[in-house]
Amino acid sequence: MAMKDYSDEFKADAVALYESTPGATYKSIAADLGINRATLREWVLRDRERRGVTASLATAAEAPARAGAATSSTDPDERIRQLEARVAELEASERKLATERDILRKAAKYFRGDELVISRFQFVDDHRATYEVKRLCEVLELNRSSYYKWLSGRQARAARQHRDRVLAEKIREVHGESGGAYGSPRVTAELKEKGLPVNEKRVARVMRAFSITGIRLRRRVRTTVPDPAATLVADLFRRDFTAPEPGRKYMGDITYLPLAGGEFLYLATVLDCFSRKVVGWSIADHMRTDLVADALRMAARSRGGLDGSLFHSDHGAQYGSRAFADLCTQLGVTRSMGAVGTSADNAACESFHASLKRETLQGAHDYSDAATCRRTVFAWLTRYNTRRRHSANGHLSPNEYERRHHAAKLTLAA
């Protein structure tokens, strides 16, 4: 069921996602969000009007007129010549694009992490007999002089790589002796103790290049803080995170979203146990009750009501608060809570949040700033519902899984 009443937070995030996505169209972004194209366009135009930004359509309107000018001649022979010239131009453009696609397809395997620039140069060198160096550099956005400079330094680079390999073996020896615990500072100190004067920056670079890492415990952020004064709530789920149809059972949790500088945003989600669809969420810089309450209100709007449903959570103070209990009563929701300090009692939500951070951070330690974090997580959440295939749904997206369920019910009823 499409959401009828979108929150201001959802609208703002949708507009920000559209405005920050290069080459975005209303149709593509609306499809990701699961909303109507016209609705998204209205939100964007309204936001631009509020900010005093006007989009000029003159250039787009004039383009077709200019394209048709070449064939406006009344002389049939002249028009044929013009059309033949245009066909030749388009064929040349197509050949150029085909060459670019061929180069980029072959270049993809060369582009790896920190070696991106070096790999581009290596690709040019490996394919200079097939394509012109000038063309290769244009497609890969390289400066030809930089490529030739890289080529001239091949011997020096090989010697440096050999020295790095020798150092890497010594680092591995020290690293192994430490039980794999030492990072670059302690490895450097140990090498100096062994009579090998080396710079810590070089040790760190070689360790990165050869995937030698020390043990680094990441700061654990506690999001579940029980309220000792909260009313006892029974566990009605008993670790059964399935449901016979949508709208019967929901589960929720809070997770932290790391930012640069040790700061955090917090995400509260509400998932439907039937399809694992995210029916409600809220992102804020605090973990007050408002965070989980806003997520539950969004779920009520997206489902058209929650009356008669179950909602399961952990024993966090937010979920055990009087304000949240009153909201559940108001919405007709029966609460359920797992045992204190037992993550397995809310395992499905824990797994969902782990997937979110794994796929959005992609190995990074943080989302940089708050605006980037919000856009990234918002885009993932909406695509999760509309496009991401879920193993619990037979590798269908939550929306598609629910659509097929409703279609099957209608078929049986007929």
Side-chain angles (χ1 to χ4, degrees), residues 187-308:
V187 169
T188 303
E190 189 71 20
L191 290 174
K192 289 181 178 179
E193 185 71 21
K194 293 177 177 291
L196 181 61
V198 63
N199 185 281
E200 182 186 333
K201 289 184 178 179
R202 185 185 174 201
V203 171
R205 176 179 61 79
V206 172
M207 289 182 71
R208 283 195 303 271
F210 290 84
S211 301
I212 306 171
T213 58
I215 297 174
R216 179 170 57 186
L217 299 179
R218 296 187 63 182
R219 175 183 170 190
R220 180 176 177 82
V221 179
R222 189 181 183 192
T223 57
T224 303
V225 181
D227 184 357
T231 304
L232 183 65
V233 177
D235 183 358
L236 303 178
F237 269 43
R238 300 293 180 183
R239 301 186 183 180
D240 178 10
F241 303 109
T242 62
E245 60 183 20
R248 292 281 191 88
K249 296 168 64 177
Y250 298 97
M251 51 189 170
D253 200 4
I254 302 173
T255 191
Y256 70 96
L257 305 172
L259 307 178
E263 300 295 326
F264 299 93
L265 289 181
Y266 300 92
L267 168 70
T269 53
V270 178
L271 279 67
D272 192 306
C273 292
F274 174 76
S275 62
R276 298 297 198 272
K277 179 174 181 174
V278 194
V279 295
W281 71 82
S282 183
I283 302 173
D285 58 358
H286 62 79
M287 288 198 299
R288 297 190 293 271
T289 301
D290 287 346
L291 177 68
V292 296
D294 287 344
L296 192 64
R297 290 190 187 99
M298 179 181 176
R301 289 194 298 270
S302 67
R303 285 307 199 192
L306 302 176
D307 190 38

Side-chain angles (χ1 to χ4, degrees), residues 33-340:
L33 302 182
I35 63 177
N36 186 277
R37 173 188 174 279
T39 300
L40 176 61
R41 181 176 182 274
E42 180 184 351
W43 293 348
V44 172
L45 295 180
R46 189 180 303 162
D47 181 74
R48 287 177 178 175
E49 182 179 356
R50 179 183 60 79
R51 293 183 289 116
V53 178
T54 59
S56 174
L57 301 178
T59 303
E62 291 170 1
R66 288 196 300 269
T71 60
S72 62
S73 173
T74 57
D75 183 357
D77 291 338
E78 179 62 23
R79 290 187 63 185
I80 291 174
R81 283 194 294 272
Q82 291 174 349
L83 289 172
E84 288 176 342
R86 179 59 176 160
V87 169
E89 179 184 344
L90 291 173
E91 288 177 343
S93 177
E94 175 62 26
R95 287 193 296 272
K96 179 180 178 182
L97 291 174
T99 301
E100 290 182 0
R101 286 195 298 269
D102 190 38
I103 292 174
L104 291 173
R105 191 179 298 113
K106 293 178 179 179
K109 65 180 180 181
Y110 280 72
F111 299 168
R112 305 185 303 275
D114 295 337
E115 298 181 354
L116 178 60
V117 174
I118 296 176
S119 296
R120 287 182 179 183
F121 289 146
Q122 188 64 57
F123 178 81
V124 173
D125 196 50
D126 291 346
H127 294 81
R128 58 189 301 180
T130 306
Y131 308 100
E132 293 182 351
V133 171
K134 177 181 178 181
R135 188 75 184 123
L136 287 165
C137 289
E138 286 176 351
V139 173
L140 300 181
E141 298 180 351
L142 291 175
N143 190 306
R144 270 192 294 170
S145 61
S146 298
Y147 162 69
Y148 287 118
K149 183 178 180 180
W150 173 86
L151 196 62
S152 65
R154 175 176 292 176
Q155 290 184 348
R157 188 165 54 254
R160 184 171 62 251
Q161 290 172 349
H162 173 72
R163 292 194 298 270
D164 284 350
R165 284 193 294 271
V166 172
L167 177 59
E169 290 304 313
K170 297 182 182 298
I171 291 174
R172 284 199 178 94
E173 181 181 347
V174 172
H175 190 256
E177 291 172 355
S178 72
Y182 279 5
S184 58
R186 288 187 172 86
V187 169
T188 303
E190 189 71 20
L191 290 174
K192 289 181 178 179
E193 185 71 21
K194 293 177 177 291
L196 181 61
V198 63
N199 185 281
E200 182 186 333
K201 289 184 178 179
R202 185 185 174 201
V203 171
R205 176 179 61 79
V206 172
M207 289 182 71
R208 283 195 303 271
F210 290 84
S211 301
I212 306 171
T213 58
I215 297 174
R216 179 170 57 186
L217 299 179
R218 296 187 63 182
R219 175 183 170 190
R220 180 176 177 82
V221 179
R222 189 181 183 192
T223 57
T224 303
V225 181
D227 184 357
T231 304
L232 183 65
V233 177
D235 183 358
L236 303 178
F237 269 43
R238 300 293 180 183
R239 301 186 183 180
D240 178 10
F241 303 109
T242 62
E245 60 183 20
R248 292 281 191 88
K249 296 168 64 177
Y250 298 97
M251 51 189 170
D253 200 4
I254 302 173
T255 191
Y256 70 96
L257 305 172
L259 307 178
E263 300 295 326
F264 299 93
L265 289 181
Y266 300 92
L267 168 70
T269 53
V270 178
L271 279 67
D272 192 306
C273 292
F274 174 76
S275 62
R276 298 297 198 272
K277 179 174 181 174
V278 194
V279 295
W281 71 82
S282 183
I283 302 173
D285 58 358
H286 62 79
M287 288 198 299
R288 297 190 293 271
T289 301
D290 287 346
L291 177 68
V292 296
D294 287 344
L296 192 64
R297 290 190 187 99
M298 179 181 176
R301 289 194 298 270
S302 67
R303 285 307 199 192
L306 302 176
D307 190 38
S309 64
L310 293 177
F311 176 80
H312 184 80
S313 69
D314 58 27
H315 275 268
Q318 302 87 350
Y319 294 110
S321 67
R322 170 52 55 190
F324 188 77
D326 290 343
L327 176 62
C328 288
T329 300
Q330 175 187 339
L331 296 174
V333 174
T334 300
R335 291 189 297 158
S336 168
M337 285 187 175
V340 176

